Amino acid sequence: MLFDENLREERRQILTDVYTGTIPKRVPICVSLGTEVYIEKAGLPLAETQWTGVGLEEAVEDVVKNIRSDTFPGDSPRPPAFSEISGNVFWRMGKKKRIYATSRSNIHAC
């Protein structure tokens, strides 16, 4: 069983308390990791997994089991194909099939 129902309810209550202005039982722990971290920790090929998504679910489950966080410790995947097709100026696929952030100086007003 991946999730403990009592722990889930405790986390839900802690976050509800924070958002409603009630002093929670403890400070919530919120970890944020990029999808690339999940893929690399699982030992999967980064570029291939980002493009196809094959193995991503198992990689995420592995990290979620080992990270102590009250919220989902990740972000939404950034498919490289979408970035290339949309002409995204923040993310580009490099020659070695790795995504890299471009500089803000590349942004021009339309």
Side-chain angles (χ1 to χ4, degrees):
M1 183 162 102
L2 186 59
F3 298 106
D4 176 5
E5 198 59 41
N6 293 330
L7 181 58
R8 181 184 296 197
E9 184 54 40
E10 177 188 349
R11 289 173 171 169
R12 184 177 293 130
Q13 186 60 51
I14 288 169
L15 292 169
T16 300
D17 289 348
V18 167
Y19 290 117
T20 59
T22 306
I23 297 174
K25 179 170 123 177
R26 63 175 172 79
V27 175
I29 301 168
C30 301
V31 176
S32 180
L33 300 170
T35 308
E36 298 83 5
V37 174
Y38 301 132
I39 295 169
E40 290 185 342
K41 183 179 181 308
L44 298 171
L46 183 61
E48 181 181 329
T49 305
Q50 285 178 317
W51 278 93
T52 65
V54 174
L56 187 57
E57 187 175 346
E58 293 80 12
V60 169
E61 285 181 6
D62 179 52
V63 171
V64 168
K65 285 190 295 189
N66 297 308
I67 296 288
R68 200 175 146 85
S69 180
D70 293 321
T71 58
F72 175 68
D75 62 359
S76 57
R78 293 180 295 270
F82 177 78
S83 295
E84 287 293 304
I85 291 168
S86 67
N88 189 327
V89 296
F90 290 112
W91 299 99
R92 293 280 184 209
M93 185 61 80
K95 291 179 183 175
K96 294 181 180 179
K97 294 194 177 187
R98 288 195 175 253
I99 294 178
Y100 65 95
T102 59
S103 89
R104 288 190 175 267
S105 64
N106 291 341
I107 301 172
H108 304 288
C110 296

